[in-house]
Every structure is written in C-alpha cells, then in structure tokens.
Amino acid sequence: MTQVEELAALIARFAPTDGVHATPIPRLKVVRLSQPSEPMHGLHEPALCIIAQGAKQVILGDRIYRYDAAHSLVVSLDLPVIGQVIEATPEKPYLCVKLELDPLAISALMLEAAPLPSGSCHRVRA
C-alpha cells in the first residue's frame, strides 16, 4: 500500500459519510464527497489541503488551480474563491485532509526562526 493509499484509508475511516468531519486534533478536518460538486462561492481561509483521492479545482479571479493526490493547495490568507470537486464517485470518493492554519501562530513562529541565508528562498510561480 502506498502512502497516498494509506492516507485515503485513514480519511475514509474518519469520514465514513459525505461531508466535512472534525477530528480530535484541533483545526484538522477530513472531507469526503461521493460525487462531483457544483461550483461553490466562498471565502477560503488559510489552510493546507491534501487530497488523497479525487480532484478539486479552485478559481481565484481568472486563474484556475487544480489539485489532486499529486498536488496540494496552500492558502496563506483569506481569499474569495469558487471551489468545485471535479473527480469523485461512490467507488472512489473525493478524500481530503484540511489543516486550518493560524496566521498569528505562523507569524510568531517566523519571527522566532533564525533568518535564512541570502538567496536561500525561491519564489515558485503557479
């Protein structure tokens, strides 16, 4: 069993039915959908979203970001988006783990961290 398959099995265990499910770990949620969704307008808060099975797209302005088991989504600030699960079936549902990020805690952590040597940070463009 691959690591992605193990993650899918864990998500399925904690999300036995469609919907968003809380976990015992604060800010950690698991999501299951058995069919593609309609596009949904909303405000995406800071989070790390890792898909173990299926695929989703997020539209921000005129850009479309598709993510799946090979591509994760990190949102660092509140953004108005349109989200849509685009790959999901009852046999292979969309399975995602979402870690909601606390911007204040991340800022404090960055201030405590030692500065990186010059030239060690690279900006990645989508």
Side-chain angles (χ1 to χ4, degrees), residues 12-53:
R13 188 171 96 201
F14 286 97
T17 59
D18 283 0
V20 178
H21 303 268
T23 70
I25 301 170
R27 299 181 172 273
L28 185 70
K29 296 184 165 110
V30 291
V31 183
R32 176 190 192 113
L33 284 176
S34 298
Q35 62 185 18
S37 69
E38 294 294 322
M40 295 182 354
H41 294 259
L43 184 67
H44 205 305
E45 296 175 342
L48 166 64
C49 302
I50 300 172
I51 294 175
Q53 190 169 274

mmCIF file of all heavy atoms in Angstrom, residues 12-53:
data_model
loop_
_atom_site.group_PDB
_atom_site.id
_atom_site.type_symbol
_atom_site.label_atom_id
_atom_site.label_comp_id
_atom_site.label_asym_id
_atom_site.label_seq_id
_atom_site.Cartn_x
_atom_site.Cartn_y
_atom_site.Cartn_z
ATOM 1 N N ALA A 12 -10.944 7.894 4.955
ATOM 2 C CA ALA A 12 -12.202 7.150 4.825
ATOM 3 C C ALA A 12 -12.684 6.648 6.184
ATOM 4 O O ALA A 12 -13.887 6.626 6.459
ATOM 5 C CB ALA A 12 -12.033 6.001 3.836
ATOM 6 N N ARG A 13 -11.747 6.267 7.041
ATOM 7 C CA ARG A 13 -12.120 5.769 8.371
ATOM 8 C C ARG A 13 -12.737 6.884 9.224
ATOM 9 O O ARG A 13 -13.704 6.662 9.949
ATOM 10 C CB ARG A 13 -10.887 5.185 9.070
ATOM 11 C CG ARG A 13 -11.244 4.474 10.362
ATOM 12 C CD ARG A 13 -10.069 3.732 10.907
ATOM 13 N NE ARG A 13 -9.427 4.582 11.893
ATOM 14 C CZ ARG A 13 -8.179 4.463 12.289
ATOM 15 N NH1 ARG A 13 -7.406 3.565 11.765
ATOM 16 N NH2 ARG A 13 -7.696 5.260 13.211
ATOM 17 N N PHE A 14 -12.179 8.095 9.126
ATOM 18 C CA PHE A 14 -12.680 9.210 9.923
ATOM 19 C C PHE A 14 -13.810 9.977 9.238
ATOM 20 O O PHE A 14 -14.448 10.822 9.850
ATOM 21 C CB PHE A 14 -11.540 10.161 10.287
ATOM 22 C CG PHE A 14 -10.632 9.608 11.355
ATOM 23 C CD1 PHE A 14 -9.446 8.981 11.002
ATOM 24 C CD2 PHE A 14 -10.988 9.679 12.687
ATOM 25 C CE1 PHE A 14 -8.610 8.451 11.979
ATOM 26 C CE2 PHE A 14 -10.159 9.147 13.670
ATOM 27 C CZ PHE A 14 -8.972 8.531 13.313
ATOM 28 N N ALA A 15 -14.045 9.687 7.953
ATOM 29 C CA ALA A 15 -15.136 10.321 7.204
ATOM 30 C C ALA A 15 -15.933 9.222 6.507
ATOM 31 O O ALA A 15 -15.842 9.050 5.293
ATOM 32 C CB ALA A 15 -14.576 11.315 6.189
ATOM 33 N N PRO A 16 -16.732 8.478 7.248
ATOM 34 C CA PRO A 16 -17.468 7.360 6.652
ATOM 35 C C PRO A 16 -18.637 7.787 5.764
ATOM 36 O O PRO A 16 -19.130 6.997 4.967
ATOM 37 C CB PRO A 16 -17.967 6.576 7.870
ATOM 38 C CG PRO A 16 -18.056 7.602 8.960
ATOM 39 C CD PRO A 16 -16.956 8.586 8.687
ATOM 40 N N THR A 17 -19.056 9.050 5.891
ATOM 41 C CA THR A 17 -20.153 9.578 5.085
ATOM 42 C C THR A 17 -19.709 10.884 4.434
ATOM 43 O O THR A 17 -18.718 11.497 4.851
ATOM 44 C CB THR A 17 -21.401 9.853 5.945
ATOM 45 O OG1 THR A 17 -21.047 10.805 6.964
ATOM 46 C CG2 THR A 17 -21.921 8.581 6.590
ATOM 47 N N ASP A 18 -20.454 11.317 3.431
ATOM 48 C CA ASP A 18 -20.118 12.569 2.755
ATOM 49 C C ASP A 18 -20.215 13.749 3.714
ATOM 50 O O ASP A 18 -21.076 13.779 4.603
ATOM 51 C CB ASP A 18 -21.057 12.803 1.569
ATOM 52 C CG ASP A 18 -20.696 11.946 0.368
ATOM 53 O OD1 ASP A 18 -19.721 11.171 0.430
ATOM 54 O OD2 ASP A 18 -21.396 12.065 -0.665
ATOM 55 N N GLY A 19 -19.307 14.696 3.525
ATOM 56 C CA GLY A 19 -19.316 15.916 4.320
ATOM 57 C C GLY A 19 -17.947 16.227 4.882
ATOM 58 O O GLY A 19 -16.971 15.545 4.610
ATOM 59 N N VAL A 20 -17.928 17.287 5.693
ATOM 60 C CA VAL A 20 -16.711 17.716 6.383
ATOM 61 C C VAL A 20 -16.812 17.191 7.812
ATOM 62 O O VAL A 20 -17.816 17.403 8.481
ATOM 63 C CB VAL A 20 -16.582 19.255 6.379
ATOM 64 C CG1 VAL A 20 -15.340 19.694 7.130
ATOM 65 C CG2 VAL A 20 -16.579 19.791 4.950
ATOM 66 N N HIS A 21 -15.757 16.519 8.263
ATOM 67 C CA HIS A 21 -15.767 15.878 9.578
ATOM 68 C C HIS A 21 -14.624 16.415 10.437
ATOM 69 O O HIS A 21 -13.470 16.430 9.990
ATOM 70 C CB HIS A 21 -15.624 14.360 9.439
ATOM 71 C CG HIS A 21 -16.685 13.742 8.592
ATOM 72 N ND1 HIS A 21 -17.856 13.255 9.112
ATOM 73 C CD2 HIS A 21 -16.769 13.560 7.250
ATOM 74 C CE1 HIS A 21 -18.610 12.775 8.127
ATOM 75 N NE2 HIS A 21 -17.966 12.959 6.992
ATOM 76 N N ALA A 22 -14.949 16.820 11.661
ATOM 77 C CA ALA A 22 -13.923 17.249 12.605
ATOM 78 C C ALA A 22 -13.160 16.030 13.100
ATOM 79 O O ALA A 22 -13.667 14.901 13.048
ATOM 80 C CB ALA A 22 -14.573 17.983 13.776
ATOM 81 N N THR A 23 -11.945 16.251 13.549
ATOM 82 C CA THR A 23 -11.138 15.190 14.146
ATOM 83 C C THR A 23 -10.802 15.594 15.573
ATOM 84 O O THR A 23 -11.025 16.748 15.962
ATOM 85 C CB THR A 23 -9.825 14.968 13.350
ATOM 86 O OG1 THR A 23 -8.976 16.107 13.555
ATOM 87 C CG2 THR A 23 -10.092 14.748 11.866
ATOM 88 N N PRO A 24 -10.242 14.682 16.357
ATOM 89 C CA PRO A 24 -9.837 15.049 17.719
ATOM 90 C C PRO A 24 -8.715 16.092 17.745
ATOM 91 O O PRO A 24 -8.476 16.726 18.754
ATOM 92 C CB PRO A 24 -9.348 13.734 18.323
ATOM 93 C CG PRO A 24 -9.958 12.665 17.483
ATOM 94 C CD PRO A 24 -10.116 13.245 16.119
ATOM 95 N N ILE A 25 -8.042 16.287 16.624
ATOM 96 C CA ILE A 25 -6.951 17.257 16.539
ATOM 97 C C ILE A 25 -7.545 18.609 16.133
ATOM 98 O O ILE A 25 -8.179 18.720 15.079
ATOM 99 C CB ILE A 25 -5.894 16.803 15.516
ATOM 100 C CG1 ILE A 25 -5.335 15.443 15.932
ATOM 101 C CG2 ILE A 25 -4.792 17.843 15.373
ATOM 102 C CD1 ILE A 25 -4.475 14.787 14.885
ATOM 103 N N PRO A 26 -7.349 19.642 16.965
ATOM 104 C CA PRO A 26 -7.898 20.967 16.621
ATOM 105 C C PRO A 26 -7.404 21.437 15.249
ATOM 106 O O PRO A 26 -6.251 21.221 14.888
ATOM 107 C CB PRO A 26 -7.367 21.882 17.733
ATOM 108 C CG PRO A 26 -7.041 20.962 18.861
ATOM 109 C CD PRO A 26 -6.616 19.667 18.233
ATOM 110 N N ARG A 27 -8.293 22.055 14.498
ATOM 111 C CA ARG A 27 -8.015 22.630 13.175
ATOM 112 C C ARG A 27 -7.785 21.595 12.076
ATOM 113 O O ARG A 27 -7.498 21.950 10.946
ATOM 114 C CB ARG A 27 -6.821 23.593 13.222
ATOM 115 C CG ARG A 27 -7.026 24.775 14.123
ATOM 116 C CD ARG A 27 -5.800 25.686 14.083
ATOM 117 N NE ARG A 27 -6.044 26.916 14.777
ATOM 118 C CZ ARG A 27 -6.589 27.998 14.221
ATOM 119 N NH1 ARG A 27 -6.930 28.002 12.967
ATOM 120 N NH2 ARG A 27 -6.775 29.083 14.926
ATOM 121 N N LEU A 28 -7.894 20.314 12.388
ATOM 122 C CA LEU A 28 -7.713 19.266 11.377
ATOM 123 C C LEU A 28 -9.075 18.665 11.036
ATOM 124 O O LEU A 28 -9.784 18.193 11.931
ATOM 125 C CB LEU A 28 -6.767 18.177 11.877
ATOM 126 C CG LEU A 28 -6.413 17.106 10.851
ATOM 127 C CD1 LEU A 28 -5.523 17.693 9.751
ATOM 128 C CD2 LEU A 28 -5.707 15.945 11.515
ATOM 129 N N LYS A 29 -9.414 18.710 9.750
ATOM 130 C CA LYS A 29 -10.699 18.167 9.287
ATOM 131 C C LYS A 29 -10.451 17.217 8.130
ATOM 132 O O LYS A 29 -9.439 17.318 7.429
ATOM 133 C CB LYS A 29 -11.610 19.310 8.831
ATOM 134 C CG LYS A 29 -11.977 20.232 9.969
ATOM 135 C CD LYS A 29 -12.938 21.294 9.540
ATOM 136 C CE LYS A 29 -13.524 21.909 10.743
ATOM 137 N NZ LYS A 29 -13.289 23.131 11.175
ATOM 138 N N VAL A 30 -11.379 16.289 7.945
ATOM 139 C CA VAL A 30 -11.331 15.394 6.796
ATOM 140 C C VAL A 30 -12.621 15.567 6.004
ATOM 141 O O VAL A 30 -13.677 15.854 6.573
ATOM 142 C CB VAL A 30 -11.098 13.921 7.203
ATOM 143 C CG1 VAL A 30 -9.700 13.727 7.748
ATOM 144 C CG2 VAL A 30 -12.124 13.456 8.217
ATOM 145 N N VAL A 31 -12.509 15.412 4.682
ATOM 146 C CA VAL A 31 -13.635 15.664 3.787
ATOM 147 C C VAL A 31 -13.832 14.469 2.879
ATOM 148 O O VAL A 31 -12.866 13.902 2.368
ATOM 149 C CB VAL A 31 -13.369 16.922 2.918
ATOM 150 C CG1 VAL A 31 -14.565 17.233 2.032
ATOM 151 C CG2 VAL A 31 -12.997 18.115 3.781
ATOM 152 N N ARG A 32 -15.093 14.114 2.676
ATOM 153 C CA ARG A 32 -15.448 13.035 1.763
ATOM 154 C C ARG A 32 -16.637 13.484 0.918
ATOM 155 O O ARG A 32 -17.607 14.022 1.439
ATOM 156 C CB ARG A 32 -15.833 11.780 2.544
ATOM 157 C CG ARG A 32 -16.297 10.637 1.670
ATOM 158 C CD ARG A 32 -16.886 9.509 2.523
ATOM 159 N NE ARG A 32 -17.060 8.322 1.729
ATOM 160 C CZ ARG A 32 -16.393 7.199 1.893
ATOM 161 N NH1 ARG A 32 -15.506 7.088 2.863
ATOM 162 N NH2 ARG A 32 -16.616 6.171 1.120
ATOM 163 N N LEU A 33 -16.548 13.277 -0.392
ATOM 164 C CA LEU A 33 -17.664 13.513 -1.303
ATOM 165 C C LEU A 33 -17.705 12.366 -2.305
ATOM 166 O O LEU A 33 -16.678 12.013 -2.870
ATOM 167 C CB LEU A 33 -17.525 14.836 -2.051
ATOM 168 C CG LEU A 33 -17.839 16.105 -1.269
ATOM 169 C CD1 LEU A 33 -17.565 17.333 -2.111
ATOM 170 C CD2 LEU A 33 -19.278 16.109 -0.802
ATOM 171 N N SER A 34 -18.890 11.822 -2.527
ATOM 172 C CA SER A 34 -19.051 10.664 -3.411
ATOM 173 C C SER A 34 -19.436 11.029 -4.835
ATOM 174 O O SER A 34 -19.641 10.139 -5.656
ATOM 175 C CB SER A 34 -20.110 9.716 -2.835
ATOM 176 O OG SER A 34 -19.672 9.238 -1.589
ATOM 177 N N GLN A 35 -19.550 12.321 -5.117
ATOM 178 C CA GLN A 35 -19.842 12.770 -6.482
ATOM 179 C C GLN A 35 -19.314 14.180 -6.662
ATOM 180 O O GLN A 35 -19.107 14.892 -5.679
ATOM 181 C CB GLN A 35 -21.340 12.726 -6.769
ATOM 182 C CG GLN A 35 -22.172 13.632 -5.891
ATOM 183 C CD GLN A 35 -23.656 13.444 -6.151
ATOM 184 O OE1 GLN A 35 -24.082 12.452 -6.715
ATOM 185 N NE2 GLN A 35 -24.446 14.413 -5.738
ATOM 186 N N PRO A 36 -19.055 14.581 -7.884
ATOM 187 C CA PRO A 36 -18.595 15.963 -8.111
ATOM 188 C C PRO A 36 -19.607 16.955 -7.550
ATOM 189 O O PRO A 36 -20.805 16.677 -7.478
ATOM 190 C CB PRO A 36 -18.505 16.054 -9.637
ATOM 191 C CG PRO A 36 -18.284 14.642 -10.085
ATOM 192 C CD PRO A 36 -19.102 13.808 -9.131
ATOM 193 N N SER A 37 -19.113 18.108 -7.153
ATOM 194 C CA SER A 37 -19.987 19.132 -6.580
ATOM 195 C C SER A 37 -20.256 20.230 -7.597
ATOM 196 O O SER A 37 -19.580 20.332 -8.614
ATOM 197 C CB SER A 37 -19.331 19.738 -5.331
ATOM 198 O OG SER A 37 -18.193 20.505 -5.696
ATOM 199 N N GLU A 38 -21.232 21.034 -7.286
ATOM 200 C CA GLU A 38 -21.483 22.250 -8.058
ATOM 201 C C GLU A 38 -20.430 23.275 -7.647
ATOM 202 O O GLU A 38 -19.898 23.205 -6.538
ATOM 203 C CB GLU A 38 -22.880 22.794 -7.751
ATOM 204 C CG GLU A 38 -24.006 21.887 -8.201
ATOM 205 C CD GLU A 38 -24.074 21.744 -9.714
ATOM 206 O OE1 GLU A 38 -23.846 22.746 -10.420
ATOM 207 O OE2 GLU A 38 -24.324 20.619 -10.182
ATOM 208 N N PRO A 39 -20.127 24.245 -8.489
ATOM 209 C CA PRO A 39 -19.217 25.309 -8.066
ATOM 210 C C PRO A 39 -19.809 26.051 -6.862
ATOM 211 O O PRO A 39 -20.992 26.356 -6.844
ATOM 212 C CB PRO A 39 -19.139 26.227 -9.292
ATOM 213 C CG PRO A 39 -19.559 25.368 -10.445
ATOM 214 C CD PRO A 39 -20.547 24.384 -9.891
ATOM 215 N N MET A 40 -18.982 26.294 -5.853
ATOM 216 C CA MET A 40 -19.450 26.960 -4.643
ATOM 217 C C MET A 40 -18.592 28.192 -4.370
ATOM 218 O O MET A 40 -17.372 28.089 -4.263
ATOM 219 C CB MET A 40 -19.399 26.005 -3.456
ATOM 220 C CG MET A 40 -20.346 24.844 -3.609
ATOM 221 S SD MET A 40 -20.459 23.649 -2.252
ATOM 222 C CE MET A 40 -19.254 24.074 -1.099
ATOM 223 N N HIS A 41 -19.248 29.353 -4.271
ATOM 224 C CA HIS A 41 -18.557 30.593 -3.936
ATOM 225 C C HIS A 41 -18.311 30.613 -2.435
ATOM 226 O O HIS A 41 -19.160 30.194 -1.657
ATOM 227 C CB HIS A 41 -19.407 31.807 -4.321
ATOM 228 C CG HIS A 41 -19.597 31.956 -5.788
ATOM 229 N ND1 HIS A 41 -18.876 32.855 -6.528
ATOM 230 C CD2 HIS A 41 -20.413 31.305 -6.667
ATOM 231 C CE1 HIS A 41 -19.236 32.759 -7.793
ATOM 232 N NE2 HIS A 41 -20.171 31.829 -7.903
ATOM 233 N N GLY A 42 -17.150 31.092 -2.038
ATOM 234 C CA GLY A 42 -16.878 31.184 -0.616
ATOM 235 C C GLY A 42 -15.571 31.892 -0.335
ATOM 236 O O GLY A 42 -14.833 32.276 -1.252
ATOM 237 N N LEU A 43 -15.285 32.049 0.949
ATOM 238 C CA LEU A 43 -14.042 32.642 1.395
ATOM 239 C C LEU A 43 -13.160 31.513 1.905
ATOM 240 O O LEU A 43 -13.521 30.827 2.865
ATOM 241 C CB LEU A 43 -14.312 33.658 2.510
ATOM 242 C CG LEU A 43 -13.108 34.430 3.002
ATOM 243 C CD1 LEU A 43 -12.590 35.363 1.901
ATOM 244 C CD2 LEU A 43 -13.464 35.231 4.245
ATOM 245 N N HIS A 44 -12.045 31.277 1.233
ATOM 246 C CA HIS A 44 -11.114 30.224 1.651
ATOM 247 C C HIS A 44 -10.173 30.825 2.676
ATOM 248 O O HIS A 44 -9.429 31.742 2.390
ATOM 249 C CB HIS A 44 -10.331 29.681 0.453
ATOM 250 C CG HIS A 44 -9.839 28.289 0.658
ATOM 251 N ND1 HIS A 44 -9.057 27.921 1.736
ATOM 252 C CD2 HIS A 44 -10.004 27.175 -0.076
ATOM 253 C CE1 HIS A 44 -8.767 26.638 1.645
ATOM 254 N NE2 HIS A 44 -9.342 26.163 0.557
ATOM 255 N N GLU A 45 -10.236 30.310 3.878
ATOM 256 C CA GLU A 45 -9.365 30.781 4.945
ATOM 257 C C GLU A 45 -8.015 30.075 4.848
ATOM 258 O O GLU A 45 -7.891 29.056 4.160
ATOM 259 C CB GLU A 45 -10.043 30.536 6.292
ATOM 260 C CG GLU A 45 -11.319 31.349 6.430
ATOM 261 C CD GLU A 45 -12.092 31.045 7.697
ATOM 262 O OE1 GLU A 45 -11.853 29.975 8.313
ATOM 263 O OE2 GLU A 45 -12.927 31.873 8.068
ATOM 264 N N PRO A 46 -6.978 30.582 5.534
ATOM 265 C CA PRO A 46 -5.663 29.950 5.465
ATOM 266 C C PRO A 46 -5.722 28.463 5.830
ATOM 267 O O PRO A 46 -6.300 28.085 6.849
ATOM 268 C CB PRO A 46 -4.845 30.735 6.493
ATOM 269 C CG PRO A 46 -5.501 32.085 6.522
ATOM 270 C CD PRO A 46 -6.969 31.798 6.348
ATOM 271 N N ALA A 47 -5.145 27.635 4.966
ATOM 272 C CA ALA A 47 -5.207 26.195 5.176
ATOM 273 C C ALA A 47 -4.220 25.479 4.272
ATOM 274 O O ALA A 47 -3.801 26.005 3.245
ATOM 275 C CB ALA A 47 -6.618 25.683 4.902
ATOM 276 N N LEU A 48 -3.903 24.247 4.670
ATOM 277 C CA LEU A 48 -3.179 23.298 3.840
ATOM 278 C C LEU A 48 -4.165 22.189 3.519
ATOM 279 O O LEU A 48 -4.729 21.580 4.426
ATOM 280 C CB LEU A 48 -1.963 22.734 4.580
ATOM 281 C CG LEU A 48 -1.300 21.501 3.963
ATOM 282 C CD1 LEU A 48 -0.709 21.840 2.597
ATOM 283 C CD2 LEU A 48 -0.235 20.946 4.895
ATOM 284 N N CYS A 49 -4.402 21.946 2.229
ATOM 285 C CA CYS A 49 -5.352 20.918 1.790
ATOM 286 C C CYS A 49 -4.585 19.849 1.015
ATOM 287 O O CYS A 49 -3.922 20.158 0.022
ATOM 288 C CB CYS A 49 -6.432 21.522 0.908
ATOM 289 S SG CYS A 49 -7.367 22.842 1.725
ATOM 290 N N ILE A 50 -4.706 18.619 1.488
ATOM 291 C CA ILE A 50 -4.033 17.493 0.844
ATOM 292 C C ILE A 50 -5.097 16.493 0.414
ATOM 293 O O ILE A 50 -5.846 15.974 1.251
ATOM 294 C CB ILE A 50 -3.026 16.825 1.792
ATOM 295 C CG1 ILE A 50 -1.971 17.837 2.223
ATOM 296 C CG2 ILE A 50 -2.385 15.612 1.123
ATOM 297 C CD1 ILE A 50 -1.043 17.343 3.318
ATOM 298 N N ILE A 51 -5.152 16.227 -0.875
ATOM 299 C CA ILE A 51 -6.123 15.278 -1.415
ATOM 300 C C ILE A 51 -5.456 13.909 -1.535
ATOM 301 O O ILE A 51 -4.350 13.786 -2.068
ATOM 302 C CB ILE A 51 -6.637 15.744 -2.792
ATOM 303 C CG1 ILE A 51 -7.435 17.043 -2.638
ATOM 304 C CG2 ILE A 51 -7.486 14.664 -3.456
ATOM 305 C CD1 ILE A 51 -7.889 17.656 -3.942
ATOM 306 N N ALA A 52 -6.138 12.892 -1.040
ATOM 307 C CA ALA A 52 -5.636 11.521 -1.157
ATOM 308 C C ALA A 52 -6.302 10.785 -2.314
ATOM 309 O O ALA A 52 -5.766 9.802 -2.819
ATOM 310 C CB ALA A 52 -5.872 10.766 0.147
ATOM 311 N N GLN A 53 -7.473 11.267 -2.724
ATOM 312 C CA GLN A 53 -8.220 10.603 -3.802
ATOM 313 C C GLN A 53 -9.190 11.620 -4.409
ATOM 314 O O GLN A 53 -9.798 12.393 -3.694
ATOM 315 C CB GLN A 53 -8.987 9.421 -3.206
ATOM 316 C CG GLN A 53 -9.615 8.489 -4.186
ATOM 317 C CD GLN A 53 -10.105 7.246 -3.470
ATOM 318 O OE1 GLN A 53 -9.361 6.311 -3.266
ATOM 319 N NE2 GLN A 53 -11.363 7.258 -3.068
#
